[in-house]
Amino acid sequence: MANTDSIRDDLDVSNGLFGKYDHSLFWPILIAYTAIMLCAYLLPDATGAALSGMRDWLIRNFGWSFLLGVGATLIFCFYLLFSPFASLKLGADDAVPEFSYLAWVSMMFSCGLGIGFVFFSVAEPLYHMYTSSHVEDMGVTGQEASVAKAVQLTLLDWGMHGWALYAIAAWAIAFPAYRLGQPLTVATGLYGILGERSNTSVWGRIANFLGILGTIGGNATMIGLGVASISYGLNVLFGLDLGDLGKALVMLVVIIAYVISAATGVEKGIKLLSELNMILAGAVLVAILFFGAAPTSYLLNLTTQMFGDYFSGVLGLSFWSDAGNFEQRDWVGGWVVFYWLWYVSYIPFCGGFIARISKGRTLREFISGVILVPMVLTVAWFSIWGGTAGYVEVNQIAPLWDGVQANPESGIYALLDTIPVGGWWLSVIVLFNLIIFAVTTSDSASFFVAMQVSNGNENPRISMRLLWGCVIGFTGIVFQLAGGFDAIRALAIVVGAPFFLVGIAYMVSVYRMLVATNEGRL
């Protein structure tokens, strides 16, 4: 690792409580987010309006480019899956994976999906049933025929596109790190373009800065949604009506749990919690399938159809921009483009974290594991949750849509309340699931940010990880208290969008590195 050490020596570092770190990254990021939190707390309306205005401007003027770029990334991933490079490994030719396949997939699942997967499992299909442009054009808004289309659109948002972005970033970072001894930083992903200057050039420094900025904003969004859902669950299940102070206390509990997890390292804390989360989520899914309000046969039919609808329609839907209207309606920007930009803010974090846990995997195994395996789980998850929600809503078993419009976090608890036996206990499990997701999200994201400001150190100090966990957590809390659902969604887009250009550059970098390796030049 001499190459890594020489790079660290070239960078401006300090030592002390947080170990060696790059203060040209550390202090600007810390000051920027302190200022953002102060603005959100002291001037909530103005801050929310400013972020929403910037979000709307980005979507209105550049939505088409985000659709093209993310769609191209997915196509590039499938090219890699069947390319001449597919047998290349992350690391030496004889490298073996550090984690079992189940642990690897579980950690990716908790990292890349996390809280939002649970938060939107009921709310999003309902939004698409009533507000989607596709459903509107079909003339079946809120009707039985809208359920399958709503689930398909939800799968588009949570499907392969986000994972494709993460996969390219992870390979771009991990390939030169594990084969050439480069540090595990965002800038290392540009090695195929910048070579040995990737971590010391101005472009590399900008990439690191944007990567950290987006990571904190994207994960703060997720934590904010998680705390809202956890607080709502505590109120519904145990009668604890939490105010602003209560939500802050919930975040403190999450941070304490995260500190315990952080102290055990990736090999134990994140790994064990991620595996536990998969088991709990799977148990709830099976319970809804067999004991929920919707007939099991209907849910199995819907799941089967969604495999066909999603994979047969994904290309067209990827580039659908509502061009049938001279003025684009709000839905495509408010959902599809929003998700693409949210995922862009997650590229550095998820890419860097997946890079950290993927050593020893071949490119073919890597692409299929990062993209296709989570997709299968996603189809099952949203078909069962979303199908049950649609069935309950259309048959007027419970007014889910009315509740979701007022509080998006209410959907999962209201749906589980329709299960006559065991619904309350399933809600408790979901609440526990959300708490674990919040812990693993904080742990994984703070681990990544600490790794970046520590110049790619694979095991940054716990004090450094704790600091960034607090920044991420309390940014989410402040925005949740100050501006709610809309403001926190706007934050993710505004801070994540600039990294889109880095994500495109990663594709070029990956291709050039793979070609050079095949030709024996790397």
Side-chain angles (χ1 to χ4, degrees), residues 26-345:
F26 180 92
W27 290 110
I29 293 290
L30 188 60
I31 291 170
Y33 269 100
T34 300
I36 289 172
M37 281 191 280
L38 285 173
C39 288
Y41 183 74
L42 299 174
L43 303 167
D45 294 338
T47 303
L51 288 172
S52 296
M54 287 186 277
R55 174 202 61 196
D56 295 343
W57 181 83
L58 283 168
I59 291 174
R60 184 171 59 252
N61 292 284
F62 298 102
W64 60 270
S65 65
F66 299 129
L67 292 174
L68 280 175
V70 176
T73 304
L74 180 59
I75 293 171
F76 181 62
C77 282
F78 276 99
Y79 160 73
L80 293 179
L81 190 62
F82 302 103
S83 71
F85 319 118
S87 60
L88 291 176
K89 274 190 176 183
L90 284 178
D93 293 338
D94 60 351
V96 295
E98 180 181 0
F99 301 99
S100 70
Y101 199 84
L102 176 61
W104 182 53
V105 171
S106 297
M107 286 191 284
M108 283 194 296
F109 195 85
S110 291
C111 160
L113 296 171
I115 296 166
F117 209 58
V118 179
F119 185 94
F120 286 107
S121 55
V122 170
E124 184 167 345
L126 291 173
Y127 271 107
H128 294 327
M129 281 178 59
Y130 284 95
T131 67
S132 161
S133 301
H134 293 277
V135 172
E136 179 184 316
D137 292 343
M138 291 167 62
V140 294
T141 298
Q143 299 176 35
E144 183 177 346
S146 69
V147 177
K149 192 65 180 181
V151 173
Q152 182 191 16
L153 295 172
T154 304
L155 293 176
L156 173 70
D157 290 341
W158 287 92
M160 296 187 294
H161 293 83
W163 290 107
L165 293 171
Y166 306 155
I168 294 302
W171 192 271
I173 294 169
F175 196 69
Y178 292 136
R179 291 182 76 96
L180 303 173
Q182 294 290 312
L184 278 167
T185 64
V186 170
T188 292
L190 300 174
Y191 189 89
I193 299 172
L194 300 175
E196 295 294 332
R197 299 180 297 109
S198 58
N199 278 280
T200 55
S201 70
V202 64
W203 296 111
R205 309 287 282 180
I206 291 173
N208 281 336
F209 181 84
L210 292 177
I212 297 171
L213 194 73
T215 294
I216 296 174
N219 281 279
T221 301
M222 192 72 83
I223 289 294
L225 297 179
V227 169
S229 193
I230 292 168
S231 301
Y232 188 90
L234 290 172
N235 185 13
V236 169
L237 298 174
F238 303 106
L240 300 176
D241 189 6
L242 302 179
D244 293 353
L245 178 60
K247 291 180 179 179
L249 288 175
V250 169
M251 189 63 240
L252 281 175
V253 171
V254 169
I255 289 176
I256 291 170
Y258 140 70
V259 171
I260 296 172
S261 172
T264 63
V266 176
E267 297 81 1
K268 294 181 180 178
I270 298 177
K271 174 178 174 290
L272 293 176
L273 287 176
S274 297
E275 290 176 336
L276 176 60
N277 241 2
M278 287 282 285
I279 294 170
L280 291 176
V284 173
L285 196 66
V286 170
I288 295 172
L289 174 62
F290 290 105
F291 306 111
T296 301
S297 58
Y298 168 70
L299 296 178
L300 292 175
N301 284 335
L302 180 63
T303 303
T304 302
Q305 180 174 316
M306 284 305 103
F307 277 106
D309 286 355
Y310 176 77
F311 286 104
S312 65
V314 67
L315 187 63
L317 289 173
S318 297
F319 299 101
W320 191 86
S321 57
D322 202 15
N325 295 278
F326 289 131
E327 186 172 342
Q328 188 182 76
R329 288 168 288 182
D330 291 338
W331 179 84
V332 68
W335 287 98
V336 181
V337 177
F338 160 73
Y339 269 105
W340 285 190
L341 286 171
W342 193 11
Y343 291 142
V344 166
S345 74

Side-chain angles (χ1 to χ4, degrees), residues 347-365:
I347 287 176
F349 156 54
C350 283
F353 185 75
I354 293 171
R356 169 65 181 82
I357 63 176
S358 299
K359 186 176 182 179
R361 307 279 175 185
T362 65
L363 180 57
R364 180 176 289 113
E365 181 184 17

